[in-house]
Amino acid sequence: MKVNKAEIVISAVSEKQYPNNRWPEIALAGRSNVGKSSFINKLINRKNLARTSSKPGKTQTLNFYTINDAFYFVDVPGYGYAKVSKKEREKWGKMMEEYFSLRDTLRLTVLIVDIRHKPTEDDRMMYDFLKHFEIPVLVIATKLDKIPKNKKDTHLKRVINTLEMDPDDAVIPFSAETSEGKEEVWRYLGNYIK
Ligand SMILES: Nc1nc2c(ncn2[C@@H]2O[C@H](COP(=O)(O)OP(=O)(O)OP(=O)(O)O)[C@@H](O)[C@H]2O)c(=O)[nH]1
Ligand SMILES: [Mg+2]
């Protein structure tokens, strides 16, 4: 897809603030610092529209980006960052539950995991949470540039097995560094934003 226009429209903390023009929506989910914001930037060819950081916990709100005046990407705060207080974690949980349970324009969630590591217990919970709400999931195994080419298949298998993925769900290896996987991702997303 050729992206001509990409803008942030709102950083929301509650449902009242979500855009209400009913464009289809694709959300990102994943561990803090896994590369969610980098994934969005790479897909839309912008260096830093979605703010990234080497420090975890950069994205704290639901950030809605309009793409080509046709659909939204929603950058979601990450989970699994140890230095987060119990109170903040509860706030995060409420925000997620509200978003994923109510948002009827949400067509697909892209769950991002790190291809180098076995998915964490939090990753498994996130995957199960999305299945529970019957939200279509695409798994992205990112940071592909960080592993040797001959390890790719083994690492992908570990992702599929650890998440106990539904055989109907896809996993796409990806790198925001080298753009590998980008075309395949756009082809996949195309089915959900019509
Ligand atoms: N080598 C490599 N580094 C990556 C890749 N994707 C992201 N990174 C790096 O990982 C770090 C975190 O990336 P972000 O995109 O900010 O991660 P995030 O998931 O949005 O993090 P939070 O907003 O904190 O939840 C940054 O230093 C990125 O440059 C990738 O595909 N390859
Ligand atoms: Mg982020």
Side-chain angles (χ1 to χ4, degrees):
M1 171 173 303
K2 186 153 178 353
V3 175
N4 304 309
K5 191 175 168 193
E7 284 170 7
I8 179 144
V9 284
I10 186 144
S11 295
V13 292
S14 70
E15 203 236 338
K16 300 184 289 293
Q17 300 171 303
Y18 302 166
N20 60 10
N21 57 356
R22 305 202 54 81
W23 287 346
E25 204 158 285
I26 295 176
L28 280 296
R31 249 179 47 225
S32 195
N33 218 35
V34 71
K36 298 176 294 298
S37 302
S38 303
F39 174 85
I40 295 182
N41 288 332
K42 179 47 79 178
L43 284 186
I44 65 178
N45 300 318
R46 294 290 184 85
K47 269 219 153 64
N48 213 10
L49 181 68
R51 290 304 173 80
T52 63
S53 164
S54 54
K55 278 192 297 201
K58 177 75 191 172
T59 309
Q60 300 269 5
T61 48
L62 294 162
N63 296 337
F64 290 77
Y65 297 92
T66 52
I67 311 299
N68 289 351
D69 288 334
F71 72 97
Y72 292 102
F73 272 135
V74 186
D75 198 5
V76 169
Y79 49 76
Y81 180 43
K83 282 188 195 152
V84 166
S85 69
K86 190 164 166 239
K87 208 165 157 206
E88 280 177 284
R89 208 162 296 162
E90 277 167 11
K91 204 173 88 188
W92 180 90
K94 277 208 188 104
M95 201 159 77
M96 294 298 104
E97 177 114 17
E98 181 176 52
Y99 176 73
F100 286 106
S101 65
L102 294 176
R103 194 59 169 164
D104 62 353
T105 51
L106 176 61
R107 298 282 175 81
L108 174 77
T109 295
V110 177
L111 175 60
I112 306 205
V113 298
D114 190 325
I115 196 164
R116 292 174 296 175
H117 309 302
K118 188 176 166 171
T120 63
E121 194 50 40
D122 286 332
D123 291 328
R124 284 173 51 111
M125 273 165 59
M126 190 71 217
Y127 181 81
D128 291 346
F129 175 87
L130 295 168
K131 298 308 274 187
H132 169 80
F133 285 111
E134 298 180 347
I135 298 163
V137 189
L138 167 65
V139 175
I140 296 292
T142 196
K143 305 196 182 178
L144 178 61
D145 57 286
K146 298 253 200 189
I147 60 164
K149 281 205 166 51
N150 63 2
K151 294 247 170 91
K152 184 165 103 176
D153 290 344
T154 326
H155 284 240
L156 284 176
K157 248 184 224 138
R158 183 169 66 173
V159 169
I160 293 165
N161 292 339
T162 310
L163 293 177
E164 299 182 67
M165 278 177 68
D166 184 328
D168 293 335
D169 289 342
V171 54
I172 301 178
F174 180 85
S175 167
E177 220 26 64
T178 65
S179 305
E180 265 177 287
K182 182 177 161 182
E183 295 309 316
E184 193 182 346
V185 170
W186 270 127
R187 271 198 301 278
Y188 194 94
L189 300 187
N191 301 321
Y192 291 89
I193 50 185
K194 276 189 269 215

